[in-house]
Amino acid sequence: MANLCRKLIFNIYMGFYCSAIMAKICICSQFSTSSIDPFNKDPGAFPVATNGEPFPWNELRLPRVVIPLHYDLLVHPNLTSLDFVGSEKIEVSVRDATQFIILHSKDLEIMNVILQSEEDLRYRKPGKRLNVLSYPAHQQIALLVPEALMADLRYSVAIDFQANLANGFQGFYKSTYRTHGGKTRIIAVTDFEPTEARMAFPCFDEPSFKANFSIKIRRESGHVALSNMPKVKTIELEEGLLEDHFETTVKMSTYLVAYIVCDFNSVSGTTSSGVKVSVYASPEKWSQTHYALEASLKLLDFYENYFDINYPLPKLDLIAIPDFESGAMENWGLITYKETSLLFDTNTSSASDQLWVTKVIAHELAHQWFGNLVTMEWWNDIWLNEGFATYMELVSVNATYPELQSDDAFSDVCFTVIKKDSLNSSRPISNQAETPTQIAEMFDSVSYNKGACILNMLKDFLNEEKFRKGIIHYLKTFSYGNAKNDDLWNSLSNNCLGDFTSGEFCYSDSKMTSNTLAFREESAELKEMMATWTLQKGIPLVVITREGHSLRLQQERFLSGVSKEDPEWRALQERWLLFFCSPRYLWHIPLTYTTSSSNVIHRHVLKSRTDTLELSEKTSWVKFNVDSNGYYIAHYEGHGWDQLITQLNQNHTLLRPKDRVGLIHDAFQLVSAGRLTLDKALDLTRYLQHEASIPALLKGLEYLELFYHMMERRNVSDVTENLKHYILRYFKPVIDRQSWSDKGSVWDRMLRSTILKLACYLNHAPCIQKATELFSQWMESSGKLNIPSDVLEVVYSVGAHTTIGWNYLLEQYGLSMSGAEKKKILYALSTSQHQEKLKKLIELGMEGEVIKTQELSTLLYVIARNPKGQQLAWNFLRENWTHLLKKFDLGSFAMRMIIFGPTSHFSSKDELQEVKLFFESLKAQGLHLDIFQMILEAIAKNIKWLERNLPTLRTWLLVSS
């Protein structure tokens, strides 16, 4: 969490050790954490069950006394009455004698529970009926046994239960889609991560309680049933019902269980190793599944080879779900996707859409190893799943689809999370998380993006071959089990030649002692380094000062929105001493740098707060963080920035393309921290008129557009107008050479989409004229004209500015069968300058018929970016909070975005006060999210940025005009 010093520490037992091998700083590692309820002021008190009796367990985590081995699960969803009944037999092993079994259960009606011993099963005795206690606050039930369960014996627990299909996006829920004829079809689908399997069946719903699952689904003949494993047989029952039986799964966590009842169609293929891969979608969207199948086959083959481990299941299904909150979910053997993350329409999907679909497929397939085969021990280390899957997007897509040039986009993965990680409200990658809401909040850019970035940095530090061998060792060692941070560092430190999959140390018989010691030292060194990246929050700033042939280095915590002159800056450089014995933030930073003298990449690990490097030859400039592989900001004191700007203006190609992107990013980040003046950062972008690297060009445009929208929302009319003229004049050659087509490389196409969208937004006459012409032709063709997909959003946005065009787009939105097109139409509708139209969109999103409720978070975000819609979105959030809580779980990604969208762009003290009061009212109701503090910091940062930089921006534009 953001503040680890809160009062829950009183009931957590911690142990620490300080390694003597660590010379510079003393890293203290947590080795024992109890799972006592952090909200129970008396750890010894037992809660009260719903029937008034004492509930025999007072902790959020389940006891480790009864262990599940196998679930035999039967589920029958009724798609007419929108409910389901189920029964299960759980085979359990008892470690210690106990008189109760604690399970997770949420919103389920438990109708009957029978316990059978091994003897009962052997002699077919009926078993004993158990009393059930419920404690909803912890989403737990207790099964009370009349006689104590004996240690080292196995038992069978049979449970009958029923519930309604959920209305949201978690558990076992209903989803709907419309046919071409306007009929509504209903399907039933599961989504259990992180803590929602308990909404579908009583279970041990924690990642370390792995078991095998034998699943049976009852359905009508007009539907198909899917689950993790292939179907082995279908039994005909009375009243036309069918019962599908699926193969028993491999050992896995409950959150990976999945089953679906639908009427979808599929397309299938087979990998080179014989795995059958199928892609499912609603019948009208079946034609959009073919690209996903092609990508899945290529990526699955790649991963099997890269990890040197075959995909362990006989089949893999990917299915596009009409109502889905996140991008996708990696259920083992049955991956569920939001339609826009899986389906590809050749007529309406743009280059960026193709890249997105490919990356999401790559991400979920990587999870079949990272997350499914090897699962984090607890949710505090969810980054071991999500960080690795995000990192493997880079590796796998580069290898299988080099034409997508995804490697050039990876730096944005890191730049995105730096915005959050440079605020004090950020959190460590590995962080305490106990309640379902806290666990849900772990699914954020720190786990995904920062996790991927530090892995990429570590790969660059170790080298590609050693890193790959290390992760193969990690996967093979912990297959079908659970792992934690240290297990990964041990594997990456392991220098064994050949296959090493057992034992604690790496050694041969002849060199046992020396190799064991070498491994221990290397492992400790790597743990020491990586603890600084995973156990403390934030990102380092490396300050470089040239003094003759010497480079003086200094590291500190980088804080966006807080300058060194601010009174709070020094206090924010200090950290709480839970994990570290040093009072200051300190990282072990694998630095890389190049100079004007050569292309050689120099390396140095900065372990102390200050250090000095000697340059071997005379050089006019030095550039740190080669190719942006490191997770840090570099600042050049003295004339360092001037020297780099001079080089960019004279011959920018002497700096690597990714280094030019990194310089632009770092410069504007340093402005926000008061370390670099805005005019100097803007001067750096002047060279862009000669830039041929599209990622660098887009990065520069990104900041200019950001400033434009900030000025527009604050109604700073003179700066807004001057910035508009500057962008259109300075980038006119780039705008003018764009064709209204889908031609060129992926980056050519993404530049076209971005710059034409901006040009039309800025009312560039030729852009407006061409977009209006295409929109009129499209309307005249009754929506049948195929407009190039890369300019589709631009054309729709211009067309939406008339009442006739806006109404026609809304009509087409309801008719379209392409998720990619609907996304573009929705954005265009949100750009309307009429508040009544924007209000109508929000109302439609709440109703969930024309605009699905899953789109509400995106809708509010884009409406809030519209100056005419920001106050509307903010008022809606406050006035409809209670209704929103009924549709979305508090900690869910959608709810966090619903809060973030209307508030994060604010930049005045009055707006900051309004948001504070709103959040305080929620806290008074017992509702709290870590994102509250992040938003308050972001608004305060915006206020400070304007106070410090508005006069500079105004003057710079006047001088540049």
Side-chain angles (χ1 to χ4, degrees), residues 243 366 475 549 613 618 682 689 710 857 870 912 914 950:
E243 184 176 286
L475 290 171
H549 285 283
L613 299 176
K618 185 177 180 181
L682 289 167
Q689 60 186 322
M710 182 183 288
S857 59
Q870 180 162 309
L912 177 59
E914 285 184 15
L950 180 55

Side-chain angles (χ1 to χ4, degrees), residues 771-787 792 795-816 821-822 824-826 828-830 832 837 840-841 844 850-851:
T772 302
E773 177 187 325
L774 287 171
F775 187 79
S776 297
Q777 293 173 3
W778 179 69
M779 280 187 63
E780 290 168 6
S781 72
S782 300
K784 293 182 173 59
L785 175 70
N786 286 330
I787 299 172
L792 204 53
V795 171
Y796 288 165
S797 297
V798 172
H801 285 178
T802 68
T803 299
I804 293 174
W806 195 91
N807 291 334
Y808 186 73
L809 280 166
L810 183 58
E811 179 186 342
Q812 289 299 117
Y813 182 89
L815 297 173
S816 177
E821 182 181 35
K822 290 169 84 78
K824 296 173 178 62
I825 292 176
L826 195 60
L829 293 170
S830 75
S832 173
K837 289 184 170 59
K840 182 176 182 178
L841 288 179
L844 290 173
V850 177
I851 299 175

Side-chain angles (χ1 to χ4, degrees), residues 137-180:
H138 285 182
Q139 301 173 0
Q140 293 173 356
I141 56 173
L143 312 182
L144 306 183
V145 297
E147 299 176 4
L149 303 181
M150 303 301 291
D152 301 322
L153 294 182
R154 294 186 179 187
Y155 295 83
S156 173
V157 182
I159 306 175
D160 297 325
F161 55 93
Q162 64 183 17
N164 293 323
L165 288 171
N167 285 317
F169 304 94
Q170 285 84 37
F172 194 22
Y173 69 95
K174 70 177 178 70
S175 176
T176 63
Y177 72 93
R178 283 189 177 183
T179 67
H180 271 305

Side-chain angles (χ1 to χ4, degrees), residues 29 86-87 96 139 235 239 294 301 406 431 440 493 511 514 526 543 619 638 645 712 769 799 821 844 869 900 941 958:
S29 298
S87 62
D96 297 299
Q139 301 173 0
I235 299 173
E239 301 178 1
E294 172 205 305
D301 278 337
S406 65
N431 197 46
S493 300
K511 297 183 178 180
S514 61
L526 188 63
V543 181
T619 183
I645 291 170
E712 185 184 37
Q769 181 181 345
E821 182 181 35
L844 290 173
F900 179 83
K941 170 186 164 184
L958 288 172

Side-chain angles (χ1 to χ4, degrees), residues 166 373 401 508 594 603 634 656 668 692 778 794 898:
L373 185 64
Y401 286 91
S508 63
T594 58
R603 298 180 181 273
R656 299 162 180 252
F668 285 107
W778 179 69
V794 182
I898 284 170

